[in-house]
């Protein structure tokens, strides 16, 4: 056992060292190239739809009426020009970012450039602190390693935390996409809130006693660190694809209808929506896959920003799921609770209503387990209000407005579970639609 541990540690150290040697010069080149090459363009949606017929999708920042604004690299810009699509506006990313609210303030945070946002080490430390403060309710597990060797941590919160009970498993994830910093905070603060409020808050007690809540606030630690220290707009993980191309969009790498078409994800390694070499090719998604197969979820929330949306499957097709009615109902209840706190409106719909995606988390979770699953796009509503650059003040208010919806979500499955038991343990697993 001891020897095995030493071998594992040895291999990990080697992996980390080799990734450091390998990735540092590359990262510098990569960062320089990107800062110099990234351009923000806008075009009419009708032109973009024509472009999509023969090209992979672009990284869409926002839509304004009949116009869409995209972030493109030099290769993409060239292909847009070659396709003859009319570019309405064009400017460097740098000048575009200067016009956004909050971005300067954020980068000027003294000492720590991400301010009160949690980086990888801070997230890991907070999870460990919670485990040691609340040993009977919290357990932290390392379910795998990222490409650069960082731990992929899940915190389990439940009464009798060290035993597997006959309770619904709820999976809550954050930060598939590196630049979406607020999506780490909401799941992380939820874990902290559940544990600290457990003695006094009946709704929290009901959730923690009745369910096994698994929270993974940071699915993409390498990407987050890169976004903090090198390039704020980074979205993907840090896979080296060869040929000076980095990163896989891990929210396009899950194995349900992976690569179904080239509109919902891209086969091009340079694209921000690159789906990877194969389903679950990335250690981050593979760790989630193995973990959830061992702990089949009854419900799943995957946090992103921005857009103020509650999206449910399918993302890969316009066809509705057999459970669209139930999933819509849950989303409306959540949206209502958010609105009651802050007056902010989160729109409800199936994911394809926004744009088609394949290889996404929620399609795989629903397609595999039949579990109601949501992508929650946190505030703000638009890129012009800051987009990915949520201000420090937004951390607590965004968590506060989502809290009642999260508690509702967990408790929904406890009630459902009770109903199920009275129906003599009828199986909840739905047969996924498989469309060729
Ligand atoms: Zn995202």
């Amino acid at each position: 056992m001891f020897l095995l541990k030493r071998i594992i540690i040895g291999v990990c150290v080697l992996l980390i060292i080799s990734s450091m040697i390998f990735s540092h010069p590359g990262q510098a080149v990569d960062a320089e190239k990107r800062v110099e090459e990234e351009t923000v363009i806008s075009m009419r949606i009708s032109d973009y739809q024509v472009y999509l017929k023969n090209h992979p999708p672009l990284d869409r920042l926002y839509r304004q009426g009949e116009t869409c604004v995209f972030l493109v690299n030099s290769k993409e810009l060239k292909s847009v020009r070659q396709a003859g699509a009319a570019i309405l506006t064009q400017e460097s990313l740098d000048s575009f970012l200067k016009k956004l609210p909050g971005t300067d303030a954020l980068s000027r945070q003294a000492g720590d450039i991400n301010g009160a946002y949690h980086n990888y080490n801070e997230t890991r430390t907070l999870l460990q602190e919670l485990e040691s403060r609340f040993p009977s309710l919290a357990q932290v597990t390392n379910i795998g390693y990222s490409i650069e060797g960082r731990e992929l941590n899940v915190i389990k919160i439940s009464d009798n935390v060290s035993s597997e009970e006959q309770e619904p498993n709820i999976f809550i994830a954050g930060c598939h996409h590196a630049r979406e910093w607020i999506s780490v905070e909401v799941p992380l603060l939820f874990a902290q809130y559940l544990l600290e409020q457990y003695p006094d808050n009946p709704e929290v007690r009901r959730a923690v006693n009745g369910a096994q809540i698994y929270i993974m606030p940071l699915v993409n630690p390498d990407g987050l660190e890169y976004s903090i220290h090198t390039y704020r707009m980074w979205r993907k993980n840090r896979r080296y694809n060869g040929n000076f191309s980095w990163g896989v969009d891990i929210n396009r790498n899950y194995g349900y209808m992976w690569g179904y078409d080239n509109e919902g994800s891209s086969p091009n390694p340079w694209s921000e929506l690159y789906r990877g070499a194969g389903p679950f090719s990335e250690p981050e998604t593979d760790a989630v896959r193995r973990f959830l197969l061992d702990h089949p979820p009854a419900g799943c929330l995957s946090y992103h920003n921005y857009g103020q949306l509650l999206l449910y499957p399918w993302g890969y097709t316009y066809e509705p799921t057999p459970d669209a009615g139930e999933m819509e109902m849950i989303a409306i209840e959540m949206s209502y609770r958010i609105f009651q706190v802050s007056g902010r409106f989160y729109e409800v719909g199936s994911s394809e209503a926004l744009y088609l995606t394949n290889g996404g988390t929620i399609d795989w979770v629903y397609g595999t387990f039949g579990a109601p699953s949501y992508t929650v796009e946190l505030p703000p509503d638009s890129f012009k209000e800051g987009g990915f650059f949520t201000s420090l003040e937004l951390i607590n208010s965004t968590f506060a407005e989502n809290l009642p919806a999260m508690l509702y979500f967990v408790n929904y499955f406890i009630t459902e579970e009770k109903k199920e038991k009275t129906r003599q343990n009828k199986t909840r697993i739905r047969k996924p639609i498989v469309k060729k």
Side-chain angles (χ1 to χ4, degrees), residues 175-180 183 235 249 251-252 302-306 355 375-377 388:
C175 202
H176 275 77
H177 292 140
R179 62 198 176 189
E180 299 168 10
S183 76
R235 169 183 169 94
D249 181 345
N251 202 35
R252 302 290 184 277
S302 179
Y303 285 88
H304 289 251
N305 80 305
Y306 57 96
Y355 40 74
T375 296
V376 184
E377 294 281 0
F388 307 109

Side-chain angles (χ1 to χ4, degrees), residues 26-281:
Q27 280 182 1
V29 172
D30 188 33
E32 256 166 49
K33 273 173 87 86
R34 299 198 72 88
V35 171
E36 154 199 294
E37 288 177 2
E38 295 282 350
T39 307
V40 177
I41 62 168
S42 66
M43 57 175 135
R44 267 185 290 276
I45 290 170
S46 51
D47 283 347
Y48 181 54
Q49 278 159 351
V50 174
Y51 174 82
L52 272 180
K53 286 187 179 140
N54 297 308
H55 299 85
L58 303 171
D59 185 11
R60 190 166 90 155
L61 295 179
Y62 63 91
R63 175 181 172 161
Q64 193 172 30
E66 290 311 299
T67 309
C68 260
V69 177
F70 303 93
L71 180 64
V72 295
N73 58 39
S74 60
K75 287 188 179 181
E76 288 167 329
L77 183 59
K78 208 168 144 192
S79 78
V80 171
R81 287 212 187 98
Q82 279 169 352
I87 295 173
L88 302 175
T89 59
Q90 175 179 340
E91 63 183 314
S92 74
L93 177 61
D94 224 31
S95 87
F96 179 78
L97 291 182
K98 281 195 180 119
K99 290 187 274 180
L100 292 178
T103 50
D104 278 357
L106 196 59
S107 58
R108 275 198 233 110
Q109 287 304 312
D112 196 352
I113 61 159
N114 64 335
Y117 284 92
H118 290 80
N119 65 21
Y120 165 70
N121 276 328
E122 290 159 350
T123 303
R124 195 166 157 261
T125 305
L126 179 54
L127 292 178
Q128 283 165 353
E129 273 172 23
L130 291 174
E131 183 186 45
S132 54
R133 277 173 67 201
F134 305 97
S136 59
L137 297 174
Q139 201 170 59
V140 179
T141 323
N142 174 21
I143 65 163
Y145 290 91
S146 67
I147 286 193
E148 292 178 351
R150 294 187 176 89
E151 287 182 9
L152 303 170
N153 289 317
V154 171
I155 186 167
K156 176 186 179 185
I157 298 175
S158 192
D159 61 342
N160 309 316
V161 70
S162 49
S163 49
E164 279 288 314
E165 297 188 291
Q166 286 298 314
E167 295 172 352
N169 296 326
I170 309 297
F171 182 64
I172 300 176
C175 202
H176 275 77
H177 292 140
R179 62 198 176 189
E180 299 168 10
W181 295 1
I182 189 81
S183 76
V184 180
E185 304 304 316
V186 170
L188 189 58
L189 295 177
F190 187 55
Q192 185 172 7
Y193 183 89
L194 290 175
L195 294 167
E196 288 176 349
Q197 297 296 313
Y198 182 78
D200 307 315
N201 182 326
E203 218 188 344
V204 169
R205 287 183 80 85
R206 183 162 176 256
V208 173
N209 291 344
Q212 305 187 108
I213 306 164
Y214 294 98
I215 300 175
M216 184 177 186
L218 185 45
V219 178
N220 181 8
D222 298 350
L224 178 69
E225 287 300 304
Y226 192 74
S227 167
I228 293 170
H229 297 288
T230 311
Y231 177 58
R232 179 65 182 87
M233 285 294 279
W234 190 254
R235 169 183 169 94
K236 302 188 276 184
N237 73 355
R238 292 298 299 162
R239 159 81 64 195
Y240 181 59
N241 303 313
N243 209 9
F244 295 102
S245 147
W246 273 265
V248 169
D249 181 345
I250 53 175
N251 202 35
R252 302 290 184 277
N253 187 244
Y254 284 82
Y256 191 85
M257 297 295 165
W258 178 88
Y260 179 77
D261 60 28
N262 289 343
E263 191 179 338
S265 67
S266 173
N268 178 354
W270 283 96
S271 164
E272 290 292 347
L273 306 171
Y274 177 47
R275 58 183 169 240
F280 296 114
S281 58

Side-chain angles (χ1 to χ4, degrees), residues 2-16:
F2 183 64
L3 183 69
L4 183 69
K5 230 175 176 177
R6 283 179 65 164
I7 293 172
I8 293 171
I9 291 169
V11 169
C12 291
V13 168
L14 269 176
L15 276 175
I16 293 167

